[in-house]
Each structure stands twice: as structure tokens, then as C-alpha cells.
Amino acid sequence: MLDDARLLDLLKDLESPSAERKRTAGDRSAIRKAICAFANDLPGDGKPGIVFVGVENDGTCANIEIDDDLLKLLADMRNSGILPIPSMEVDQRVLDGCKVAIVQVDPSRDPPVRYQGRCWVRVGPSTREATPDNERRLIERRRAADLPFDRRRALDATLDDLDLNFLQREYLPSAFAEEVLTANDWHVKQQLASLRLITGETPCYGAVLVAGRDPLRWIPSAYIQFLGIDGTELADPIKHQKRLVGPLNEVARQLDDLIDLNISVATDITSGAREKRQPDYAAVALQQLVRNALVHRNYETSNAPVHVYWFSDRVEIHSPGGLYGQVTPENFGTGVTDYRNPLVAEALAVLGYIQRFGVGIPMARKALADNGNPPPEFDFQDTAVLTTIRRHP
């Protein structure tokens, strides 16, 4: 709940759209309408609304008794015809010597909120029934919240949190045809908006992943944990470990370097025969399988990174998040595609890390077969996918 200083400011600001004052809880319908309106948060500023009970319209003290029965009555109002049920807190405070009851209502993540079937909003310091345009705005906001995670706005992020030099130097020229980039004379913000990387002045999570100066600030799991193990079990000695951080293209580049460093190449020299070099893994297969994890992993609700364990006899790739959408264990790797993070997939394609959608797994299988490795093994779980690649025998 807001602190006393902020509450007192709202109480005294008679024009604030975030405060409603009631002498008593007698007009319960009016209080419920105000709760509904604050939950709808028509301005979209994300700030809570406050109903003060025990004060006059001018903010002066009404000197009524604030007891447990009143607080319980106010708390129960959220369950009395307001749908979806709003998130709110009820408390009592002493503000400038006046004992008042406080109802703090948080903006709903699922607007429009209705009281007895009607939608209510705040227009200045008053509560009014929503117009059709008001409701349309609320519906559009809910739909925006339903966007894939990588398309949603990264709260508190600004354009300064993106590497604009990288975007202008590498990403935009790859995303737009040269004649389009030069002909439309758009500002860089318009170009980024057309690629859905920003909304207004706010980058989306996909932009943070692709070009963020510090992606971990918004997405703590956005990295790869690489572990080289001298043995076949996690408890065996660790040869080396590395945390691959940064925007996705940098993470992918670091990973490619690590794959090249860790692949062993055996040389077979037989009498009268040409020298034959045999890598224990097909590099392109490992690249495709880890990039597949970067594209399809769950960034939203898991704080786990993608894990790459390089054992002496196999490589394991642990990707947070199970199969998504129309992809099933039966059709996995057959060209059927669905994207938990469509903007991430598009970005890696723009940057050249994905050649064609839906061919990464078939490409990996073919590369392993051509190299003499067993086919990759996939263990599909509800919250993770484990990929195992066996070493060349």
C-alpha cells in the first residue's frame, strides 16, 4: 500500500483522478463503482486508485468511527458484483490527525472490469459509465497484454537501453531492403516500430533480447550456462565453465566459438591412404539445436538459463519450457512449427542465425548422420526439453 505521505497528497488533491472521497460507507454502490473504475485504469498509467472513507468531499476529516466491521465491509466489496474480481487492499491510517479507512485498488490485468454488468471508468476526479470508445481502449489494452511475451513492452525500458548503433549498423540493413531503408526517410524510431521492436518509446522484451545493452536486467534467465565435464556424470570434475551473456546474436556467436573449441578431431592415417579427419560432433548440428533452444525456450516464467553440458560421451541441451502450440512429440522436427517467441525467431533469421523456419531439427539430424553420430534424442517434459547428442563412436 502507498505510504502516508503519498496518501495525504492524494487526499488533498481534489482534482486527482486517482482518489475518491466518501464520508461513510453508506453509499456502497458508489464505492463499488469507484473500485471498478480504478481497476479499469483508463489512463493506463499503472497507478493504484484510492477510496478514502471517513473524509468529506473537500478532504477534511469526517470524524467517523473506523473499526474492524467497516474494514471488513470494505474488503468484502470486491466480491459483490465486480468482475473480474479486482486486486485491492484495505487498511486504516491516520492522515494529518484524521483516522480514515483506505481502499487501494490495483489496475486490472484483464480489463474491462464491470460492476453489475456495466463498465465504469475515471474521468478526472469523477466516476462515470464507460463510453464505447472507453471500452474499446480497455479491450485493446487487454489484447496487447495477451501478446507473446517477446512482443510485450519491457516495463521501465527506454531507447537508451538498446544498442542503437548495432541496430542501425547491422539489424535494420538486414531487415529492410536497401532501397526501402533509404527511400522512406523514416526516423530510426519509426523503423523500429515498424519491426515491432518498440511501442511508442518503449522497447519490447524481444528488442531487449536482440539489442539490449543489458538483457539480464529485464530477463534474468536470458543467458546460456556452458559446462565442460571430465566424465559422464554431473558430479564428475568440471574442466571449464562459461556464462554466455549479452544480446542473442552475441550469445550465439560465443556459443559457436565454444563449440569449435570443444570439438575433437581424430586423424586416421593408414598406409597408402589419404589422411582422414573425423570430428566427434557435427558443429552445425550443435549450433542448430542450441539456437532452437534460444528461439523456443520459455523466457517469461522460468528463471533458468539454457544449459549446455559437454560430457566426455555426449552433449546435453536443457531448454526451459515444453513444446509449444501445435508442436507435439509426434510431429516434432517434421516441419510443423509454432513460436512461443515469434519476434526472437524473426530476429535470429534477420541476423542470419536461422536460414529457414522449421528446418533446424532436420538439418541437425542430417549433419549428425553425415558425420556418423547417432540421431539426436529428445525428452519432452511439461516444463523443459532435454536434447542429447551422442559422441561419434
Side-chain angles (χ1 to χ4, degrees):
M1 183 166 282
L2 299 180
D3 60 33
D4 286 0
R6 179 60 181 144
L7 289 171
L8 186 58
D9 287 342
L10 286 173
L11 178 62
K12 298 299 184 183
D13 184 359
L14 302 184
E15 300 301 319
S16 173
S18 300
E20 178 80 7
R21 299 159 195 82
K22 294 295 179 185
R23 187 177 195 281
T24 70
D27 191 348
R28 300 178 188 181
S29 178
I31 294 177
R32 292 182 183 120
K33 290 176 183 178
I35 291 171
C36 176
F38 288 137
N40 277 318
D41 183 28
L42 183 63
D45 57 16
K47 297 178 181 178
I50 303 295
V51 179
F52 296 96
V53 178
V55 295
E56 306 288 356
N57 287 335
D58 61 3
T60 58
C61 189
N63 295 307
I64 68 167
E65 182 180 2
I66 308 296
D67 56 17
D68 289 344
D69 289 340
L70 174 60
L71 298 179
K72 185 178 184 301
L73 172 67
L74 294 172
D76 286 343
M77 287 189 179
R78 67 191 293 269
N79 301 313
S80 303
I82 305 176
L83 293 172
I85 296 175
S87 172
M88 54 183 255
E89 299 177 66
V90 176
D91 198 2
Q92 58 177 325
R93 298 285 180 88
V94 177
L95 303 177
D96 199 21
C98 180
K99 192 173 183 180
V100 296
I102 307 291
V103 180
Q104 176 172 306
V105 184
D106 294 324
S108 174
R109 298 183 62 182
D110 193 23
V113 178
R114 302 178 188 278
Y115 169 55
Q116 292 185 338
R118 297 178 183 271
C119 180
W120 299 87
V121 296
R122 296 289 286 185
V123 179
S126 63
T127 298
R128 300 182 186 178
E129 189 170 353
T131 65
D133 282 342
N134 294 156
E135 289 207 41
R136 189 157 36 247
R137 283 177 59 186
L138 296 173
I139 292 169
E140 288 173 353
R141 186 183 307 154
R142 184 192 66 215
R143 288 175 177 169
D146 289 340
L147 289 170
F149 174 71
D150 61 347
R151 287 282 313 281
R152 298 177 200 166
R153 292 186 299 173
L155 300 181
D156 300 327
T158 69
L159 290 178
D160 290 338
D161 296 305
L162 301 181
D163 186 346
L164 294 179
N165 288 331
F166 161 74
L167 288 168
Q168 292 177 292
R169 184 182 66 252
E170 296 186 39
Y171 194 86
L172 293 177
S174 299
F176 289 107
E178 182 178 358
E179 59 271 20
V180 173
L181 198 60
T182 56
N184 62 23
D185 197 29
W186 278 359
H187 186 274
V188 63
K189 288 193 291 187
Q190 294 172 297
Q191 294 165 347
L192 295 178
S194 73
L195 294 173
R196 304 174 304 284
L197 293 172
I198 64 173
T199 300
E201 299 280 337
T202 305
C204 66
Y205 285 106
V208 170
L209 284 166
V210 171
R213 298 183 184 277
D214 181 15
L216 296 184
R217 179 178 172 187
W218 286 273
I219 311 171
S221 62
Y223 66 99
I224 293 178
Q225 182 66 56
F226 183 94
L227 207 61
I229 299 172
D230 189 13
T232 61
E233 305 293 336
L234 274 174
D236 289 334
I238 296 174
K239 293 191 296 185
H240 53 269
Q241 58 182 317
K242 191 170 180 64
R243 195 168 182 248
L244 311 184
V245 299
L248 283 180
N249 68 303
E250 179 63 20
V251 170
R253 186 195 62 76
Q254 294 178 64
L255 180 76
D256 290 353
D257 291 343
L258 270 177
I259 289 173
D260 290 339
L261 286 172
N262 283 274
I263 286 180
S264 298
V265 179
T267 302
D268 181 19
I269 303 177
T270 58
S271 177
R274 178 178 293 181
E275 177 182 292
K276 181 180 180 181
R277 297 172 61 81
Q278 177 63 60
D280 54 358
Y281 296 101
V284 67
L286 297 180
Q287 291 169 353
Q288 291 297 321
L289 292 169
V290 180
R291 291 172 191 174
N292 187 74
L294 290 176
V295 168
H296 295 288
R297 63 148 300 167
N298 176 4
Y299 289 99
E300 180 178 9
T301 60
S302 174
N303 288 323
V306 171
H307 283 98
V308 178
Y309 297 125
W310 199 295
F311 295 96
S312 59
D313 64 340
R314 69 193 187 280
V315 175
E316 290 184 0
I317 303 165
H318 296 252
S319 175
L323 296 179
Y324 182 78
Q326 63 179 337
V327 181
T328 67
E330 291 72 32
N331 64 27
F332 179 81
T334 64
V336 177
T337 58
D338 211 336
Y339 294 96
R340 180 180 278 115
N341 307 296
L343 193 58
V344 169
E346 178 182 325
L348 286 180
V350 166
L351 293 169
Y353 286 96
I354 297 175
Q355 283 69 46
R356 286 180 295 157
F357 294 119
V359 302
I361 301 301
M363 186 184 299
R365 284 173 171 153
K366 183 178 186 303
L368 289 171
D370 291 346
N371 193 62
N373 295 86
E377 304 163 17
F378 300 99
D379 179 10
F380 304 111
Q381 304 165 15
D382 290 342
T383 59
V385 174
L386 167 62
T387 305
T388 302
I389 307 97
R390 303 287 175 183
R391 188 181 182 195
H392 186 283

